[in-house]
Amino acid sequence: MMSSSNECGTVFIVDDDASVLKGISRIVRLAGYEAVTHTSAEEFLHQAKPSSPSPCCLVVDLTMPGMGGLDLQQRLIDTGTNCPVIFMSGNGSIPATVQAMKRGAVTFLSKPFDHDDLLQAISEALGKQMSVENQSRRVIEIRQRIRNLTDREKEVMGWVISGMLNKQIAARMGIVEKTVKVHRARVMGKMQTQSVAELTRLCADAEFPPNR
Amino acid sequence: MMSSSNECGTVFIVDDDASVLKGISRIVRLAGYEAVTHTSAEEFLHQAKPSSPSPCCLVVDLTMPGMGGLDLQQRLIDTGTNCPVIFMSGNGSIPATVQAMKRGAVTFLSKPFDHDDLLQAISEALGKQMSVENQSRRVIEIRQRIRNLTDREKEVMGWVISGMLNKQIAARMGIVEKTVKVHRARVMGKMQTQSVAELTRLCADAEFPPNR
DNA sequence: TATGCTATTGGCCTTTGGTCCAATAACCGG
DNA sequence: CCGGTTATTGGACCAAAGGCCAATAGCATA
């Protein structure tokens, strides 16, 4: 449970070979990371808990009985699990490497590999994870605010960030300008923005599109 | 000079083996693309003309006398040349594949490869090229408008898209509000925008940051 | 020196945006 | 039927943004 000293990330390791798990686990722990091992992709999927406190990444073998590394990676993508993947392989093929990298793998290590290469990949993965995680957290926050808007308010916001005047918005929505002002004010309040510029950026980040 | 019929893209092919050039060239032309061959990376760099009319991509061998495929790819990146790269290799290594993909290669084909794999890769590359090119064209357009702004106008724009009021901007710049209004009006004119929301999006796309 | 561009400011007036207080109406779950 | 939420509108008022016309000053280049 307790890692060595400085808690700077969790590394999930998945390989059907117990000795490999043991070896990599040792390397990872010595570098100050927490290591969690699994002997199959299925086991990992059942037990893995999403990253809450510290960033994490996954070191996985390409070929395993049952679900392989590529399948696992695809599964993570499908379930929206944001966790960088580092591949290992004894007899990896170029096509497998291409596919893994296309899907966003951090790197693809051929066994046997240098310990430093692994640690460097882990460092890169955790760094990437952290920045993506930060961005993701922000987007989730913004979307939460948007969910607190009523349909009418969302509609008005869409027009506002498209640069329409209150008068024009009112015309399009078939209501009076005064009503638009009210909705607009509520939008700014709920979105916690002080200006249209800010609001525009928030919506862009949350992929909330302007109305045509 | 004249390609077969439908001009839907140019494929630059670089390989030191003339027979390979000939073979691939034939496949590419039969698929309706224009093929341009070079026997070395150096030769390509000297003679290549940037894409003006039709989209283009590059099919390059990994290992060649002199500058290799990876070196060529790096060179293109360094010079800001936006051209998708497809790698070919007879005896490619995993590390080379990883590096190529990390730098944005479309794919990495092991010789001998299926003709359809190559054509699919080319199709993907040209599609990518086109969308990137469109986006890039837009950004260049916006930056051109920004270049037409005077320093003072740029400064005001930075404050405007950060959501500041004219009064606040005036205070920060040590000038009168009236002057800010004038600059602001010129900014909206030169940037061809009708609203702060629009302006904010243009600046975001052109990576022109709001003032702190 | 003259001309042109830029920055700066003033006044005046109109349009827009935003706030406060208040009120009506529809709808929904208890 | 009542209380809570949402949508809607009104009036009064103030602040902010923009347009139009005009003017001064510094600077660089022809």
Side-chain angles (χ1 to χ4, degrees):
Chain A
M1 283 298 168
M2 297 267 78
S3 91
S4 59
S5 55
N6 49 343
E7 197 68 10
C8 53
T10 302
V11 180
F12 293 97
I13 309 164
V14 180
D15 195 314
D16 57 302
D17 185 336
S19 64
V20 171
L21 284 183
K22 198 163 184 176
I24 295 181
S25 184
R26 197 180 60 84
I27 297 169
V28 166
R29 280 190 225 273
L30 282 177
Y33 303 107
E34 183 171 356
V36 178
T37 62
H38 296 283
T39 56
S40 77
E42 288 86 350
E43 187 188 315
F44 168 76
L45 286 172
H46 282 306
Q47 298 180 16
K49 52 240 159 177
S51 68
S52 355
S54 61
C56 68
C57 70
L58 177 59
V59 177
V60 61
D61 191 31
L62 176 66
T63 54
M64 294 180 289
M67 182 181 278
L70 286 173
D71 302 316
L72 176 54
Q73 182 188 32
Q74 187 59 52
R75 173 67 67 88
L76 293 178
I77 293 171
D78 291 341
T79 59
T81 307
N82 165 34
C83 177
V85 181
I86 296 167
F87 280 87
M88 304 178 293
S89 170
N91 55 345
S93 65
I94 303 269
T97 307
V98 169
Q99 185 162 31
M101 295 300 291
K102 270 196 180 180
R103 289 183 188 158
V106 173
T107 193
F108 199 109
L109 301 169
S110 294
K111 293 178 190 172
F113 47 78
D114 201 34
H115 293 178
D116 283 340
D117 288 343
L118 174 62
L119 291 177
Q120 189 178 321
I122 289 174
S123 171
E124 182 187 339
L126 294 177
K128 175 184 169 187
Q129 159 81 342
M130 256 190 298
S131 76
V132 170
E133 198 68 13
N134 281 340
Q135 183 55 26
S136 165
R137 224 186 307 282
R138 170 181 158 75
V139 170
I140 288 172
E141 225 298 282
I142 298 172
R143 295 210 171 123
Q144 183 53 52
R145 292 182 200 168
I146 293 178
R147 268 192 292 281
N148 286 331
L149 299 176
T150 66
D151 289 344
R152 219 52 174 159
E153 285 162 356
K154 278 197 272 258
E155 191 178 353
V156 169
M157 184 168 75
W159 292 118
V160 169
I161 63 176
S162 77
M164 308 264 294
L165 301 179
N166 287 343
K167 184 184 296 186
Q168 301 173 304
I169 298 173
R172 297 233 189 192
M173 293 178 65
I175 54 180
V176 183
E177 181 182 345
K178 174 66 215 222
T179 309
V180 175
K181 284 189 180 183
V182 174
H183 287 318
R184 186 172 180 150
R186 295 219 174 100
V187 167
M188 297 300 281
K190 289 184 181 177
M191 295 300 288
Q192 299 170 40
T193 49
Q194 305 295 314
S195 66
V196 177
E198 261 183 90
L199 183 66
T200 303
R201 269 189 293 275
L202 285 199
C203 287
D205 288 347
E207 293 175 84
F208 183 96
N211 293 161
R212 35 90 194 179
Chain B
M1 283 299 170
M2 297 266 81
S3 90
S4 59
S5 56
N6 49 343
E7 198 67 8
C8 54
T10 302
V11 179
F12 294 96
I13 310 165
V14 181
D15 195 316
D16 57 301
D17 184 336
S19 65
V20 170
L21 283 183
K22 198 163 185 176
I24 295 181
S25 185
R26 198 181 59 84
I27 298 170
V28 166
R29 281 191 225 271
L30 282 178
Y33 303 106
E34 183 172 358
V36 179
T37 63
H38 296 283
T39 56
S40 78
E42 290 84 352
E43 186 188 316
F44 167 75
L45 285 172
H46 282 306
Q47 298 180 15
K49 53 238 158 179
S51 68
S52 356
S54 62
C56 70
C57 71
L58 177 60
V59 177
V60 62
D61 192 31
L62 177 66
T63 54
M64 296 179 289
M67 182 182 278
L70 285 173
D71 301 317
L72 175 54
Q73 182 187 32
Q74 186 60 52
R75 174 67 69 88
L76 292 178
I77 292 171
D78 291 342
T79 58
T81 308
N82 166 35
C83 176
V85 182
I86 296 166
F87 280 86
M88 304 179 293
S89 170
N91 56 344
S93 66
I94 302 269
T97 307
V98 169
Q99 186 162 31
M101 295 301 291
K102 270 196 182 181
R103 287 182 189 159
V106 173
T107 193
F108 198 110
L109 302 169
S110 294
K111 292 180 192 172
F113 47 79
D114 201 34
H115 293 178
D116 284 340
D117 288 344
L118 173 63
L119 291 177
Q120 190 178 321
I122 289 174
S123 172
E124 184 186 338
L126 293 178
K128 176 184 169 187
Q129 160 81 344
M130 257 190 297
S131 77
V132 170
E133 198 66 15
N134 281 338
Q135 183 55 28
S136 165
R137 223 186 309 282
R138 171 180 157 75
V139 170
I140 288 172
E141 224 299 282
I142 298 172
R143 294 211 172 124
Q144 183 52 53
R145 293 182 198 167
I146 293 178
R147 267 192 294 280
N148 285 332
L149 298 176
T150 67
D151 289 343
R152 219 54 172 155
E153 287 163 353
K154 279 198 271 260
E155 191 178 352
V156 169
M157 183 167 76
W159 292 119
V160 168
I161 62 175
S162 77
M164 308 264 296
L165 300 178
N166 287 344
K167 184 184 296 185
Q168 301 173 305
I169 298 173
R172 297 234 189 190
M173 292 178 66
I175 54 181
V176 182
E177 183 182 345
K178 177 65 215 218
T179 310
V180 175
K181 286 188 181 184
V182 174
H183 287 318
R184 187 171 180 151
R186 296 218 173 101
V187 167
M188 297 301 281
K190 289 184 181 176
M191 295 300 288
Q192 300 171 38
T193 49
Q194 304 296 315
S195 66
V196 178
E198 261 183 89
L199 183 67
T200 302
R201 269 189 293 275
L202 285 199
C203 287
D205 288 347
E207 294 176 82
F208 183 95
N211 293 160
R212 32 94 193 178

